[in-house]
Amino acid sequence: MTQNRPHFATRLGVIATTVGSAVGLGNIWRFPYEAGTHGGGAFLIIYIACIAVIGIPVICAEFVMGRASRRNIFGAFRTLAPRGGRWWQSVGVLGILGSVLILSFYSVVAGWTIEYLLQSLAGTLDAVASSERQIAFDRFTGGWRCVLWTVVILGLNCAIVLGGVRKGIERVSNLLMPLLFILLVTLAVNSLLLPGAASGLEFLFRPDFSTVDSSVILGALGQAFFSLSLGLGTMMIYASYFSPATPLLKSAATTAGLDTLVALIAGVIIFPAVFTFGAEPAAGPKLVFEVLPDIFYRMPGGAVWSTLFFLLLLLASLTSTISMSEISVAYLSEQWGMSRRKAVALNSGIVLVLGTLCALSFGPLSDFTVCGKTIFELFDYVASNIIMPLGGMLISVFVGWVLKRQTFDLELKPAPRMLLNALVFSLRFIAPGAIALIFIVYI
Ligand code: PFF
């Protein structure tokens, strides 16, 4: 089976798919509102520290496991652990559970982008006065159309995943990622010219550590894992499709670098506008959807910008949803011998039910809460702040302590020795230690 495994065809394909998984709603929707609710500058610094010290070593660990085993997360632990790694395979259970929870709420937000895209096209987004945007947003997310768009997203996701690795995943990512990047830079320049630019940049870049508490640190850690798609085996499954010639360290650094850059650019787009149009930085998940229309419709040709933006955001979310689905689809087809078609159908069926519950948690189910969180918030919290860091911690421990050092060095070749030692040091002590400490302090 491993010999026939598909490969990504080109080096651009490798970068476009891994960056395609990493860059998505996490950067453009989640990062600004997490930074907004957690105080701005200080959150940003802790977030970047998490990416550098924990994120990059964990991406390398997932890449090494994926390419060395050429398997999905279960198969990777089974192949690489001594005596079949029975216990280690439970990390796979976490990965699948996390990816299903994320896909469920993520599809809802991706569905919002369809609504905003259609409204941009129809010119109705422009017709809503700034002061009424919040009411319009609440009305839409509280209704059934929001459920319909969630279903449409899952349908599109199925279609691409069924297309397979090269024709589906790689081709779509190659085209979209560069386009999205160009559009984001243009929007950032536009925001820098707004009257509230200085206050917005100050909020984002000037740290005030007096506001930092454990929830800020856990939030930054969760955001780093969410944004880099780590701890669930996503980067592992993608690396299992890399060719032996793909340089892992370079690919890891490029993925983390571009992902962080896109989050920063999203911050530079959003916060000047937040301060210019008097929005509330701590507005939560609705922040970006309320502020963006104000940005677009102050620009000449606003409807065109808005249409292009929501189209690309929609497509960027699809390059992330396909990577989430690939975790379970590869597992079901490789470990259970299911056809790709059946595996996609099973995964989508489960996500459809959970996704509908998430969508309804803004309307009919808004009063149904567990530990004070709606279903949508609960799925996000459990997956991003608990399952992903926990999965990342276990993957670090496995690669740092259990995997043969020779395998690690061989896969990361031709990295300098000092760098390899630093990575192993982080995987053995720093990454698991820091994650454990944050969990202990927080709980
Ligand atoms: N990294 C993606 C984003 O920032 O939008 C989200 C994501 C993708 C999370 C894939 C988890 C995952 F497995």
Side-chain angles (χ1 to χ4, degrees), residues 21-27 102 106 226-229 232 234 320 323-324 327 388:
S21 166
V23 171
L25 294 167
N27 309 62
I102 292 183
Y106 201 92
F226 188 88
S227 197
L228 293 175
S229 316
L232 307 178
T234 319
S320 299
S323 71
M324 293 167 209
I327 300 176
M388 294 181 104

Side-chain angles (χ1 to χ4, degrees), residues 187-195 197-198 201 268-269 272:
L187 291 175
V189 172
N190 174 70
S191 280
L192 287 174
L193 300 174
L194 290 172
L201 294 183
V268 171
I269 296 174

Side-chain angles (χ1 to χ4, degrees), residues 29-43:
W29 159 74
R30 198 175 189 277
F31 171 78
Y33 91 70
E34 281 284 322
T37 31
H38 289 124
F43 175 88

